[in-house]
PDB file of all heavy atoms in Angstrom:
ATOM      1  N   SER B  88     125.197 168.351 -70.101  1.00 97.00           N
ATOM      2  CA  SER B  88     126.647 168.200 -70.155  1.00 97.00           C
ATOM      3  C   SER B  88     127.283 169.453 -70.719  1.00 97.00           C
ATOM      4  O   SER B  88     126.810 169.995 -71.715  1.00 97.00           O
ATOM      5  CB  SER B  88     127.026 167.005 -71.024  1.00 97.00           C
ATOM      6  OG  SER B  88     126.655 165.801 -70.408  1.00 97.00           O
ATOM      7  N   TYR B  89     128.355 169.874 -70.092  1.00 98.00           N
ATOM      8  CA  TYR B  89     129.117 171.021 -70.571  1.00 98.00           C
ATOM      9  C   TYR B  89     130.479 170.538 -71.040  1.00 98.00           C
ATOM     10  O   TYR B  89     131.053 169.601 -70.462  1.00 98.00           O
ATOM     11  CB  TYR B  89     129.294 172.047 -69.448  1.00 98.00           C
ATOM     12  CG  TYR B  89     128.016 172.754 -69.084  1.00 98.00           C
ATOM     13  CD1 TYR B  89     127.059 172.137 -68.295  1.00 98.00           C
ATOM     14  CD2 TYR B  89     127.751 174.037 -69.539  1.00 98.00           C
ATOM     15  CE1 TYR B  89     125.878 172.782 -67.962  1.00 98.00           C
ATOM     16  CE2 TYR B  89     126.563 174.694 -69.215  1.00 98.00           C
ATOM     17  CZ  TYR B  89     125.635 174.060 -68.429  1.00 98.00           C
ATOM     18  OH  TYR B  89     124.460 174.687 -68.111  1.00 98.00           O
ATOM     19  N   PHE B  90     130.977 171.194 -72.084  1.00 98.00           N
ATOM     20  CA  PHE B  90     132.258 170.809 -72.640  1.00 98.00           C
ATOM     21  C   PHE B  90     133.158 172.035 -72.701  1.00 98.00           C
ATOM     22  O   PHE B  90     132.707 173.129 -73.039  1.00 98.00           O
ATOM     23  CB  PHE B  90     132.070 170.219 -74.036  1.00 98.00           C
ATOM     24  CG  PHE B  90     131.206 168.985 -74.047  1.00 98.00           C
ATOM     25  CD1 PHE B  90     129.822 169.079 -74.170  1.00 98.00           C
ATOM     26  CD2 PHE B  90     131.769 167.721 -73.903  1.00 98.00           C
ATOM     27  CE1 PHE B  90     129.025 167.933 -74.164  1.00 98.00           C
ATOM     28  CE2 PHE B  90     130.980 166.577 -73.905  1.00 98.00           C
ATOM     29  CZ  PHE B  90     129.603 166.680 -74.029  1.00 98.00           C
ATOM     30  N   ASP B  91     134.423 171.810 -72.394  1.00 98.00           N
ATOM     31  CA  ASP B  91     135.392 172.883 -72.226  1.00 98.00           C
ATOM     32  C   ASP B  91     136.566 172.675 -73.183  1.00 98.00           C
ATOM     33  O   ASP B  91     137.122 171.578 -73.254  1.00 98.00           O
ATOM     34  CB  ASP B  91     135.885 172.840 -70.768  1.00 98.00           C
ATOM     35  CG  ASP B  91     136.787 174.005 -70.421  1.00 98.00           C
ATOM     36  OD1 ASP B  91     137.138 174.787 -71.321  1.00 98.00           O
ATOM     37  OD2 ASP B  91     137.138 174.132 -69.231  1.00 98.00           O
ATOM     38  N   THR B  92     136.922 173.728 -73.903  1.00 97.00           N
ATOM     39  CA  THR B  92     138.068 173.616 -74.813  1.00 97.00           C
ATOM     40  C   THR B  92     139.402 173.693 -74.077  1.00 97.00           C
ATOM     41  O   THR B  92     140.443 173.425 -74.663  1.00 97.00           O
ATOM     42  CB  THR B  92     138.045 174.739 -75.875  1.00 97.00           C
ATOM     43  OG1 THR B  92     137.964 176.001 -75.214  1.00 97.00           O
ATOM     44  CG2 THR B  92     136.854 174.586 -76.806  1.00 97.00           C
ATOM     45  N   ASN B  93     139.358 174.087 -72.819  1.00 96.00           N
ATOM     46  CA  ASN B  93     140.578 174.155 -72.018  1.00 96.00           C
ATOM     47  C   ASN B  93     140.740 172.840 -71.263  1.00 96.00           C
ATOM     48  O   ASN B  93     139.998 172.557 -70.328  1.00 96.00           O
ATOM     49  CB  ASN B  93     140.476 175.333 -71.045  1.00 96.00           C
ATOM     50  CG  ASN B  93     141.690 175.466 -70.145  1.00 96.00           C
ATOM     51  OD1 ASN B  93     142.573 174.615 -70.149  1.00 96.00           O
ATOM     52  ND2 ASN B  93     141.725 176.532 -69.371  1.00 96.00           N
ATOM     53  N   VAL B  94     141.725 172.043 -71.691  1.00 96.00           N
ATOM     54  CA  VAL B  94     141.869 170.721 -71.088  1.00 96.00           C
ATOM     55  C   VAL B  94     142.825 170.715 -69.904  1.00 96.00           C
ATOM     56  O   VAL B  94     143.087 169.668 -69.314  1.00 96.00           O
ATOM     57  CB  VAL B  94     142.335 169.673 -72.126  1.00 96.00           C
ATOM     58  CG1 VAL B  94     141.262 169.458 -73.179  1.00 96.00           C
ATOM     59  CG2 VAL B  94     143.645 170.083 -72.760  1.00 96.00           C
ATOM     60  N   HIS B  95     143.364 171.868 -69.556  1.00 95.00           N
ATOM     61  CA  HIS B  95     144.231 171.914 -68.375  1.00 95.00           C
ATOM     62  C   HIS B  95     143.387 171.834 -67.114  1.00 95.00           C
ATOM     63  O   HIS B  95     142.207 172.185 -67.114  1.00 95.00           O
ATOM     64  CB  HIS B  95     145.071 173.196 -68.392  1.00 95.00           C
ATOM     65  CG  HIS B  95     145.986 173.273 -69.570  1.00 95.00           C
ATOM     66  ND1 HIS B  95     145.912 174.272 -70.504  1.00 95.00           N
ATOM     67  CD2 HIS B  95     146.965 172.433 -69.983  1.00 95.00           C
ATOM     68  CE1 HIS B  95     146.818 174.057 -71.451  1.00 95.00           C
ATOM     69  NE2 HIS B  95     147.467 172.943 -71.166  1.00 95.00           N
ATOM     70  N   ASP B  96     144.022 171.385 -66.050  1.00 94.00           N
ATOM     71  CA  ASP B  96     143.347 171.269 -64.765  1.00 94.00           C
ATOM     72  C   ASP B  96     143.091 172.677 -64.221  1.00 94.00           C
ATOM     73  O   ASP B  96     144.038 173.419 -63.965  1.00 94.00           O
ATOM     74  CB  ASP B  96     144.272 170.486 -63.808  1.00 94.00           C
ATOM     75  CG  ASP B  96     143.514 169.902 -62.658  1.00 94.00           C
ATOM     76  OD1 ASP B  96     142.277 170.045 -62.610  1.00 94.00           O
ATOM     77  OD2 ASP B  96     144.156 169.293 -61.787  1.00 94.00           O
ATOM     78  N   HIS B  97     141.848 173.043 -64.081  1.00 97.00           N
ATOM     79  CA  HIS B  97     141.536 174.392 -63.592  1.00 97.00           C
ATOM     80  C   HIS B  97     140.127 174.432 -63.024  1.00 97.00           C
ATOM     81  O   HIS B  97     139.285 173.631 -63.398  1.00 97.00           O
ATOM     82  CB  HIS B  97     141.689 175.398 -64.733  1.00 97.00           C
ATOM     83  CG  HIS B  97     140.709 175.196 -65.848  1.00 97.00           C
ATOM     84  ND1 HIS B  97     140.810 174.172 -66.746  1.00 97.00           N
ATOM     85  CD2 HIS B  97     139.598 175.873 -66.193  1.00 97.00           C
ATOM     86  CE1 HIS B  97     139.806 174.232 -67.609  1.00 97.00           C
ATOM     87  NE2 HIS B  97     139.052 175.251 -67.285  1.00 97.00           N
ATOM     88  N   PRO B  98     139.886 175.364 -62.127  1.00 98.00           N
ATOM     89  CA  PRO B  98     138.569 175.458 -61.497  1.00 98.00           C
ATOM     90  C   PRO B  98     137.555 176.165 -62.400  1.00 98.00           C
ATOM     91  O   PRO B  98     137.939 176.876 -63.333  1.00 98.00           O
ATOM     92  CB  PRO B  98     138.852 176.313 -60.256  1.00 98.00           C
ATOM     93  CG  PRO B  98     140.040 177.145 -60.624  1.00 98.00           C
ATOM     94  CD  PRO B  98     140.863 176.322 -61.573  1.00 98.00           C
ATOM     95  N   HIS B  99     136.298 175.942 -62.106  1.00 98.00           N
ATOM     96  CA  HIS B  99     135.225 176.555 -62.892  1.00 98.00           C
ATOM     97  C   HIS B  99     134.263 177.338 -62.011  1.00 98.00           C
ATOM     98  O   HIS B  99     134.002 176.951 -60.868  1.00 98.00           O
ATOM     99  CB  HIS B  99     134.446 175.473 -63.644  1.00 98.00           C
ATOM    100  CG  HIS B  99     135.182 174.902 -64.795  1.00 98.00           C
ATOM    101  ND1 HIS B  99     135.790 173.664 -64.752  1.00 98.00           N
ATOM    102  CD2 HIS B  99     135.450 175.406 -66.038  1.00 98.00           C
ATOM    103  CE1 HIS B  99     136.380 173.427 -65.913  1.00 98.00           C
ATOM    104  NE2 HIS B  99     136.204 174.465 -66.702  1.00 98.00           N
ATOM    105  N   PHE B 100     133.764 178.392 -62.605  1.00 98.00           N
ATOM    106  CA  PHE B 100     132.609 179.061 -62.026  1.00 98.00           C
ATOM    107  C   PHE B 100     131.372 178.461 -62.673  1.00 98.00           C
ATOM    108  O   PHE B 100     131.363 178.221 -63.890  1.00 98.00           O
ATOM    109  CB  PHE B 100     132.625 180.571 -62.348  1.00 98.00           C
ATOM    110  CG  PHE B 100     133.637 181.376 -61.576  1.00 98.00           C
ATOM    111  CD1 PHE B 100     134.480 182.263 -62.234  1.00 98.00           C
ATOM    112  CD2 PHE B 100     133.715 181.278 -60.190  1.00 98.00           C
ATOM    113  CE1 PHE B 100     135.411 183.028 -61.528  1.00 98.00           C
ATOM    114  CE2 PHE B 100     134.649 182.046 -59.479  1.00 98.00           C
ATOM    115  CZ  PHE B 100     135.489 182.921 -60.147  1.00 98.00           C
ATOM    116  N   PHE B 101     130.352 178.211 -61.870  1.00 98.00           N
ATOM    117  CA  PHE B 101     129.058 177.836 -62.442  1.00 98.00           C
ATOM    118  C   PHE B 101     128.061 178.878 -61.991  1.00 98.00           C
ATOM    119  O   PHE B 101     127.792 179.025 -60.795  1.00 98.00           O
ATOM    120  CB  PHE B 101     128.627 176.440 -61.984  1.00 98.00           C
ATOM    121  CG  PHE B 101     127.301 176.020 -62.578  1.00 98.00           C
ATOM    122  CD1 PHE B 101     127.148 175.900 -63.954  1.00 98.00           C
ATOM    123  CD2 PHE B 101     126.209 175.747 -61.763  1.00 98.00           C
ATOM    124  CE1 PHE B 101     125.934 175.515 -64.508  1.00 98.00           C
ATOM    125  CE2 PHE B 101     124.990 175.360 -62.315  1.00 98.00           C
ATOM    126  CZ  PHE B 101     124.857 175.244 -63.687  1.00 98.00           C
ATOM    127  N   TRP B 102     127.519 179.603 -62.961  1.00 97.00           N
ATOM    128  CA  TRP B 102     126.560 180.670 -62.694  1.00 97.00           C
ATOM    129  C   TRP B 102     125.180 180.031 -62.621  1.00 97.00           C
ATOM    130  O   TRP B 102     124.567 179.729 -63.648  1.00 97.00           O
ATOM    131  CB  TRP B 102     126.631 181.718 -63.811  1.00 97.00           C
ATOM    132  CG  TRP B 102     127.996 182.304 -64.002  1.00 97.00           C
ATOM    133  CD1 TRP B 102     129.087 181.677 -64.546  1.00 97.00           C
ATOM    134  CD2 TRP B 102     128.442 183.613 -63.629  1.00 97.00           C
ATOM    135  NE1 TRP B 102     130.180 182.526 -64.544  1.00 97.00           N
ATOM    136  CE2 TRP B 102     129.808 183.734 -63.994  1.00 97.00           C
ATOM    137  CE3 TRP B 102     127.812 184.716 -63.033  1.00 97.00           C
ATOM    138  CZ2 TRP B 102     130.552 184.888 -63.780  1.00 97.00           C
ATOM    139  CZ3 TRP B 102     128.555 185.867 -62.828  1.00 97.00           C
ATOM    140  CH2 TRP B 102     129.907 185.950 -63.196  1.00 97.00           C
ATOM    141  N   GLU B 103     124.731 179.812 -61.407  1.00 95.00           N
ATOM    142  CA  GLU B 103     123.496 179.045 -61.227  1.00 95.00           C
ATOM    143  C   GLU B 103     122.281 179.710 -61.872  1.00 95.00           C
ATOM    144  O   GLU B 103     121.405 179.018 -62.383  1.00 95.00           O
ATOM    145  CB  GLU B 103     123.246 178.816 -59.733  1.00 95.00           C
ATOM    146  CG  GLU B 103     124.390 178.042 -59.091  1.00 95.00           C
ATOM    147  CD  GLU B 103     124.043 177.470 -57.731  1.00 95.00           C
ATOM    148  OE1 GLU B 103     123.398 178.173 -56.937  1.00 95.00           O
ATOM    149  OE2 GLU B 103     124.428 176.309 -57.483  1.00 95.00           O
ATOM    150  N   ASP B 104     122.240 181.033 -61.855  1.00 94.00           N
ATOM    151  CA  ASP B 104     121.073 181.708 -62.417  1.00 94.00           C
ATOM    152  C   ASP B 104     120.995 181.554 -63.931  1.00 94.00           C
ATOM    153  O   ASP B 104     119.924 181.428 -64.502  1.00 94.00           O
ATOM    154  CB  ASP B 104     121.102 183.199 -62.051  1.00 94.00           C
ATOM    155  CG  ASP B 104     121.193 183.402 -60.547  1.00 94.00           C
ATOM    156  OD1 ASP B 104     120.299 182.940 -59.841  1.00 94.00           O
ATOM    157  OD2 ASP B 104     122.190 184.002 -60.083  1.00 94.00           O
ATOM    158  N   GLU B 105     122.140 181.537 -64.561  1.00 94.00           N
ATOM    159  CA  GLU B 105     122.168 181.451 -66.014  1.00 94.00           C
ATOM    160  C   GLU B 105     122.511 180.057 -66.514  1.00 94.00           C
ATOM    161  O   GLU B 105     122.559 179.845 -67.713  1.00 94.00           O
ATOM    162  CB  GLU B 105     123.210 182.414 -66.568  1.00 94.00           C
ATOM    163  CG  GLU B 105     123.046 183.865 -66.127  1.00 94.00           C
ATOM    164  CD  GLU B 105     123.896 184.762 -67.017  1.00 94.00           C
ATOM    165  OE1 GLU B 105     123.770 184.642 -68.250  1.00 94.00           O
ATOM    166  OE2 GLU B 105     124.711 185.537 -66.480  1.00 94.00           O
ATOM    167  N   ALA B 106     122.834 179.158 -65.605  1.00 95.00           N
ATOM    168  CA  ALA B 106     123.268 177.812 -65.981  1.00 95.00           C
ATOM    169  C   ALA B 106     124.421 177.881 -66.991  1.00 95.00           C
ATOM    170  O   ALA B 106     124.385 177.256 -68.042  1.00 95.00           O
ATOM    171  CB  ALA B 106     122.095 177.002 -66.536  1.00 95.00           C
ATOM    172  N   LYS B 107     125.401 178.700 -66.649  1.00 96.00           N
ATOM    173  CA  LYS B 107     126.522 178.968 -67.550  1.00 96.00           C
ATOM    174  C   LYS B 107     127.826 178.622 -66.841  1.00 96.00           C
ATOM    175  O   LYS B 107     127.958 178.821 -65.635  1.00 96.00           O
ATOM    176  CB  LYS B 107     126.495 180.460 -67.896  1.00 96.00           C
ATOM    177  CG  LYS B 107     127.494 180.906 -68.937  1.00 96.00           C
ATOM    178  CD  LYS B 107     127.419 182.427 -69.133  1.00 96.00           C
ATOM    179  CE  LYS B 107     127.944 183.186 -67.925  1.00 96.00           C
ATOM    180  NZ  LYS B 107     128.008 184.666 -68.135  1.00 96.00           N
ATOM    181  N   VAL B 108     128.797 178.103 -67.582  1.00 97.00           N
ATOM    182  CA  VAL B 108     130.102 177.758 -67.026  1.00 97.00           C
ATOM    183  C   VAL B 108     131.163 178.705 -67.567  1.00 97.00           C
ATOM    184  O   VAL B 108     131.153 179.025 -68.755  1.00 97.00           O
ATOM    185  CB  VAL B 108     130.497 176.318 -67.411  1.00 97.00           C
ATOM    186  CG1 VAL B 108     131.888 175.986 -66.909  1.00 97.00           C
ATOM    187  CG2 VAL B 108     129.483 175.328 -66.873  1.00 97.00           C
ATOM    188  N   THR B 109     132.049 179.168 -66.717  1.00 97.00           N
ATOM    189  CA  THR B 109     133.219 179.926 -67.175  1.00 97.00           C
ATOM    190  C   THR B 109     134.426 179.442 -66.392  1.00 97.00           C
ATOM    191  O   THR B 109     134.285 178.789 -65.357  1.00 97.00           O
ATOM    192  CB  THR B 109     133.047 181.452 -66.967  1.00 97.00           C
ATOM    193  OG1 THR B 109     132.860 181.719 -65.576  1.00 97.00           O
ATOM    194  CG2 THR B 109     131.858 181.988 -67.747  1.00 97.00           C
ATOM    195  N   ASP B 110     135.607 179.780 -66.895  1.00 97.00           N
ATOM    196  CA  ASP B 110     136.816 179.423 -66.167  1.00 97.00           C
ATOM    197  C   ASP B 110     136.987 180.331 -64.967  1.00 97.00           C
ATOM    198  O   ASP B 110     136.693 181.520 -65.026  1.00 97.00           O
ATOM    199  CB  ASP B 110     138.049 179.581 -67.071  1.00 97.00           C
ATOM    200  CG  ASP B 110     138.136 178.475 -68.092  1.00 97.00           C
ATOM    201  OD1 ASP B 110     137.596 177.393 -67.837  1.00 97.00           O
ATOM    202  OD2 ASP B 110     138.743 178.705 -69.154  1.00 97.00           O
ATOM    203  N   ALA B 111     137.483 179.763 -63.889  1.00 97.00           N
ATOM    204  CA  ALA B 111     137.903 180.581 -62.753  1.00 97.00           C
ATOM    205  C   ALA B 111     139.419 180.717 -62.877  1.00 97.00           C
ATOM    206  O   ALA B 111     140.087 179.822 -63.406  1.00 97.00           O
ATOM    207  CB  ALA B 111     137.515 179.914 -61.441  1.00 97.00           C
ATOM    208  N   PRO B 112     139.984 181.824 -62.445  1.00 97.00           N
ATOM    209  CA  PRO B 112     141.433 182.009 -62.554  1.00 97.00           C
ATOM    210  C   PRO B 112     142.164 180.967 -61.723  1.00 97.00           C
ATOM    211  O   PRO B 112     142.047 180.949 -60.499  1.00 97.00           O
ATOM    212  CB  PRO B 112     141.660 183.425 -62.006  1.00 97.00           C
ATOM    213  CG  PRO B 112     140.424 183.779 -61.260  1.00 97.00           C
ATOM    214  CD  PRO B 112     139.314 182.974 -61.832  1.00 97.00           C
ATOM    215  N   SER B 113     142.919 180.103 -62.391  1.00 96.00           N
ATOM    216  CA  SER B 113     143.500 178.975 -61.666  1.00 96.00           C
ATOM    217  C   SER B 113     144.647 179.415 -60.759  1.00 96.00           C
ATOM    218  O   SER B 113     144.966 178.726 -59.795  1.00 96.00           O
ATOM    219  CB  SER B 113     143.956 177.886 -62.631  1.00 96.00           C
ATOM    220  OG  SER B 113     144.849 178.391 -63.562  1.00 96.00           O
ATOM    221  N   ASP B 114     145.244 180.576 -61.045  1.00 97.00           N
ATOM    222  CA  ASP B 114     146.329 181.032 -60.174  1.00 97.00           C
ATOM    223  C   ASP B 114     145.784 181.568 -58.850  1.00 97.00           C
ATOM    224  O   ASP B 114     146.526 181.779 -57.913  1.00 97.00           O
ATOM    225  CB  ASP B 114     147.160 182.097 -60.879  1.00 97.00           C
ATOM    226  CG  ASP B 114     146.325 183.290 -61.291  1.00 97.00           C
ATOM    227  OD1 ASP B 114     145.181 183.088 -61.752  1.00 97.00           O
ATOM    228  OD2 ASP B 114     146.794 184.429 -61.138  1.00 97.00           O
ATOM    229  N   GLN B 115     144.485 181.769 -58.796  1.00 97.00           N
ATOM    230  CA  GLN B 115     143.891 182.241 -57.537  1.00 97.00           C
ATOM    231  C   GLN B 115     143.332 181.099 -56.695  1.00 97.00           C
ATOM    232  O   GLN B 115     142.665 181.325 -55.693  1.00 97.00           O
ATOM    233  CB  GLN B 115     142.778 183.260 -57.807  1.00 97.00           C
ATOM    234  CG  GLN B 115     143.310 184.636 -58.172  1.00 97.00           C
ATOM    235  CD  GLN B 115     142.185 185.593 -58.526  1.00 97.00           C
ATOM    236  OE1 GLN B 115     141.128 185.592 -57.929  1.00 97.00           O
ATOM    237  NE2 GLN B 115     142.438 186.423 -59.536  1.00 97.00           N
ATOM    238  N   LEU B 116     143.562 179.874 -57.160  1.00 98.00           N
ATOM    239  CA  LEU B 116     143.149 178.729 -56.349  1.00 98.00           C
ATOM    240  C   LEU B 116     144.399 178.034 -55.825  1.00 98.00           C
ATOM    241  O   LEU B 116     145.243 177.597 -56.604  1.00 98.00           O
ATOM    242  CB  LEU B 116     142.324 177.737 -57.171  1.00 98.00           C
ATOM    243  CG  LEU B 116     141.957 176.460 -56.419  1.00 98.00           C
ATOM    244  CD1 LEU B 116     140.889 176.744 -55.361  1.00 98.00           C
ATOM    245  CD2 LEU B 116     141.457 175.379 -57.380  1.00 98.00           C
ATOM    246  N   VAL B 117     144.482 177.938 -54.526  1.00 98.00           N
ATOM    247  CA  VAL B 117     145.616 177.263 -53.920  1.00 98.00           C
ATOM    248  C   VAL B 117     145.095 176.191 -52.972  1.00 98.00           C
ATOM    249  O   VAL B 117     144.468 176.508 -51.964  1.00 98.00           O
ATOM    250  CB  VAL B 117     146.527 178.240 -53.150  1.00 98.00           C
ATOM    251  CG1 VAL B 117     147.689 177.482 -52.519  1.00 98.00           C
ATOM    252  CG2 VAL B 117     147.033 179.341 -54.063  1.00 98.00           C
TER     253      VAL B 117
END
Side-chain angles (χ1 to χ4, degrees):
Chain B
S88 291
Y89 290 78
F90 299 88
D91 186 354
T92 54
N93 179 353
V94 294
H95 298 119
D96 200 3
H97 65 286
H99 287 103
F100 286 131
F101 181 61
W102 303 72
E103 300 195 318
D104 304 301
E105 305 195 51
K107 186 183 70 174
V108 176
T109 60
D110 286 335
S113 56
D114 58 320
Q115 283 176 38
L116 175 72
V117 179

